[in-house]
Amino acid sequence: SRVLALSGSPSTASRTALVLAHLSATLAAGGHEVTHFAIRDLPPAALLRADGTEPAIAAVIDAVDRADGLIIASPIYKASYTGLLKSLLDLLPQYALGDKVVLPLATGGSLAHALAVDYALRPVLAALGAHHIVPGYFVLDRLITTTPDGVRLAVVTEAVPDRERHAEEPLPADEPVTGEARHPVLVSDPHVVG
């Protein structure tokens, strides 16, 4: 399957991009064809003018159309996803996500922003016609670091449907962070993934 990973972070040193890159690599290792776009690399004037005919922006819109699934990633600022991400989402046709599986992914500096996945990002994805929005994830910035071996995540789960996980129980490095939790999964016991 074809997966499009969209990063809505305006920063070149982005924790959101680190988590998205790790997830993309994991999917690619599983046999999925993953394409990554950093929205910050699109021409800003054309993006702000909502010029969907500009070649780089048209390429992203076409990639959305061709994708079977999308990962929509953004840092959370002021309880919402970035304006950069919003400027691209506004260029998509009304039902652009209608036949896609969509994973919302967010990072932020405080647990106060954890519900932004469900209350800010999920509604705009639904407005774009997404009928299959899988449970999103929120990861605290302070729990994301880089090491020479990869990305280090400190993983805390509120609830993982297969079983309950306690803060003192480490998440094995080879176990994917997945599940059907209603609320975002938060990250606590450190392990290296890469």
Side-chain angles (χ1 to χ4, degrees):
S1 64
R2 292 180 306 267
V3 177
L4 178 63
L6 289 174
S7 174
S9 177
S11 173
T12 56
S14 167
R15 288 181 186 91
T16 303
L18 290 173
V19 175
L20 186 59
H22 168 69
L23 185 53
S24 296
T26 301
L27 289 170
H32 301 278
E33 177 186 323
V34 182
T35 304
H36 183 269
F37 279 103
I39 300 168
R40 73 172 174 274
D41 294 337
L42 294 173
L47 198 57
L48 291 175
R49 276 194 320 270
D51 182 2
T53 64
E54 197 288 327
I57 294 173
V60 175
I61 294 170
D62 183 57
V64 169
D65 185 52
R66 288 182 286 113
D68 299 308
L70 288 95
I71 305 168
I72 308 287
S74 178
I76 301 298
Y77 302 128
K78 308 285 186 198
S80 189
Y81 54 90
T82 63
L84 185 63
L85 176 59
K86 178 73 164 109
S87 65
L88 178 66
L89 294 176
D90 284 347
L91 290 172
L92 297 177
Q94 183 175 2
Y95 298 107
L97 305 181
D99 60 348
K100 319 287 183 201
V101 175
V102 182
L103 169 66
L105 173 67
T107 60
S110 164
L111 285 178
H113 298 302
L115 292 177
V117 173
D118 284 334
Y119 294 107
L121 189 51
R122 184 176 295 276
V124 76
L125 300 175
L128 287 167
H131 296 291
H132 192 77
I133 305 170
V134 298
Y137 291 93
F138 177 83
V139 183
L140 284 168
D141 287 343
R142 66 182 164 82
L143 302 176
I144 306 164
T145 56
T146 57
T147 71
D149 299 322
V151 176
R152 184 175 182 90
L153 298 177
V155 182
V156 172
T157 59
E158 285 184 336
V160 175
D162 316 319
R163 62 186 173 156
E164 287 296 315
R165 187 178 306 285
H166 303 284
E168 62 275 0
E169 180 185 349
L171 181 67
D174 61 343
E175 182 177 323
V177 180
T178 61
E180 295 294 320
R182 173 69 182 119
H183 295 287
V185 175
L186 308 176
V187 182
S188 86
D189 293 324
H191 70 283
V192 175
V193 292

